[in-house]
Amino acid sequence: MIPVHFRKPLWKLLAAGGLAVAVTGCSIAGVEKTATDPIDAPPAAIENQMLQAADDAMAPIGSSAIADGLTVYLRDSRGYVAPMTLDRSKQEGQAGKNAPEIEALAWMTADAKLAGQLPPGFTPVLPEGTVVSKVVKNPEAGSVTVDFAKPLSGIPASDERKALEAIVWTMTELPGIDKVHLTVAGQDMTELPASGLPVPGVLTRSIGINLERSPQVKVSDSMAVTLYFSAKNEQGDGYFVPVTRLVERQSDRARAALGELIKGPQDTKSLEAVMLANTKVEELALKSDTVQVKLQEQDWAAGMPMPAEMMEGLVLTLTEATGAPKVAVAVNGSSKLTVSGSETYEQPVERPSQINAYTG
């Protein structure tokens, strides 16, 4: 896994990370076609609002880091759900035999035979014995239906929403898929068994992920933005964690997201900021398929290397907020930005198709 940790002063050090930081545990009957502090659970009203939200998010696009990689969402040691891109070719005896959605669900299910294929500190979100009867893709509708043989029992009520988030965000990593439908024995899954949390018929990334409690914001006058912060496992390997934060409703979602990214994480014991708090946004605009952003940073001068975490967290956050595939960045009027002697951000940067690639 590629480390993405950095130390301040941010502009004066070369970060070591990359957008690309480098299944089978569930039984498939068939397929058609902490720190130690717990994460505060959001109020039920916020959970319900996120689950019922209607705006869809574009699946990531961009270059690959693993030739046959598949991005799945797993639980880290602090309880966050985070993407990890795993190498399909390492599935013993199964490589290439199953559809990617089948392999993804298998990796997300506890299975001793597959535990060694997961990154250190990461665990599946679905309990051992979870059985998927079938998965049906509808490319024309951009949707996938996952049918479980029986209700998702065995997940603590406090963890059920995390499992739901992981399923939805994993399935929407698949090319062309932005909607997920969950069923149990062919019937709509209407609620989660332990918590009773309602499950809408159509799920998109608008349900959010790793929701943050924000007591200053009224639920009735709010909107959600998803931000990408960095974290490290016990081995010191770095990775990005998406966090959905409820903020006051604004007309410009991208600007709101960038403003919150600059503020940094609320959970500073587990997550690390990717931008300095004194960074100023001079301009932010969506032009064609590219988000153009101009920043002001008093501690940066032309020729200084840019911290990779900042550039990468910025690209992930702004492409998530807008659906645009690329971001062009200028700092203090200069677009000639480099992370190392061979890597440059002078041209617009594409969002990757793989995040947190794990090569083992």
Side-chain angles (χ1 to χ4, degrees):
M1 200 181 306
I2 298 177
V4 296
H5 180 60
F6 61 91
R7 298 180 176 86
K8 296 179 181 178
L10 197 58
W11 299 106
K12 299 180 180 179
L13 291 177
L14 176 62
L19 265 176
V21 185
V23 211
T24 99
C26 76
S27 172
I28 307 295
V31 59
E32 293 181 9
K33 55 147 235 201
T34 192
T36 57
D37 293 347
I39 303 169
D40 290 337
I46 296 178
E47 290 188 346
N48 290 336
Q49 179 191 24
M50 298 297 292
L51 286 171
Q52 298 294 344
D55 53 327
D56 296 342
M58 176 180 289
I61 60 177
S63 58
S64 299
I66 298 177
D68 195 14
L70 183 62
T71 300
V72 300
Y73 283 71
L74 305 168
R75 189 181 181 95
D76 73 5
S77 61
R78 298 173 179 86
Y80 286 98
V81 177
M84 284 288 148
T85 299
L86 307 179
D87 190 345
R88 295 176 67 189
S89 68
K90 293 186 177 181
Q91 291 195 18
E92 295 183 6
Q94 297 296 321
K97 291 186 177 181
N98 293 319
E101 58 271 16
I102 296 296
E103 294 177 351
L105 288 165
W107 258 322
M108 295 168 67
T109 303
D111 186 331
K113 298 190 299 294
L114 298 174
Q117 298 179 13
L118 304 183
F122 284 81
T123 55
V125 297
L126 298 175
E128 186 176 5
T130 298
V131 177
V132 175
S133 298
K134 61 182 178 180
V135 178
V136 181
K137 292 176 68 175
N138 185 341
E140 292 76 17
S143 66
V144 62
T145 298
V146 180
D147 184 52
F148 293 95
K150 56 184 179 179
L152 296 176
S153 59
I155 304 176
S158 59
D159 293 340
E160 280 189 329
R161 185 185 165 95
K162 294 291 184 184
L164 186 68
E165 293 169 359
I167 294 170
V168 172
W169 282 65
T170 296
M171 293 296 103
T172 53
E173 289 284 351
L174 299 172
I177 300 300
D178 58 13
K179 293 180 283 293
V180 181
H181 181 211
L182 301 181
T183 59
V184 177
Q187 302 298 313
D188 289 348
M189 182 188 294
T190 58
E191 66 178 20
L192 298 177
S195 64
L197 190 67
V199 178
V202 177
L203 291 156
T204 72
R205 288 194 171 203
S206 61
I207 69 169
I209 189 168
N210 297 316
L211 303 185
E212 286 187 337
R213 181 190 296 271
S214 186
Q216 297 82 8
V217 177
K218 295 181 179 179
V219 176
S220 59
D221 187 31
S222 65
M223 70 178 191
V225 292
T226 297
L227 320 168
Y228 284 79
F229 299 115
S230 64
K232 291 201 305 180
N233 64 12
E234 293 181 357
Q235 288 70 33
D237 298 323
Y239 56 96
F240 287 100
V241 176
V243 173
T244 298
R245 179 177 296 172
L246 209 63
V247 299
E248 292 184 1
R249 189 173 299 279
Q250 303 172 39
S251 59
D252 191 334
R253 183 181 296 273
R255 185 174 287 272
L258 181 51
E260 295 300 318
L261 186 68
I262 292 171
K263 290 180 182 179
Q266 293 181 1
D267 179 9
T268 56
K269 292 183 179 180
S270 303
L271 304 175
E272 299 177 358
V274 297
M275 301 186 73
L276 290 178
N278 63 358
T279 302
K280 305 298 182 183
V281 182
E282 180 181 356
E283 183 179 326
L284 180 63
L286 177 60
K287 298 182 179 179
S288 185
D289 63 349
T290 303
V291 182
Q292 297 186 348
V293 58
K294 297 180 180 179
L295 304 174
Q296 287 290 331
E297 173 50 57
Q298 61 182 9
D299 294 328
W300 183 85
M304 285 185 178
M306 301 295 296
E309 292 88 349
M310 188 213 78
M311 298 297 294
E312 295 151 3
L314 186 66
V315 169
L316 289 167
T317 297
L318 290 178
T319 53
E320 192 78 57
T322 63
K326 295 183 290 186
V327 178
V329 184
V331 178
N332 296 350
S334 174
S335 60
K336 295 183 178 180
L337 310 176
T338 60
V339 169
S340 65
S342 59
E343 187 172 3
T344 177
Y345 288 97
E346 187 170 354
Q347 298 299 320
V349 181
E350 290 191 359
R351 181 184 176 105
S353 61
Q354 300 177 7
I355 308 173
N356 298 335
Y358 177 64
T359 59

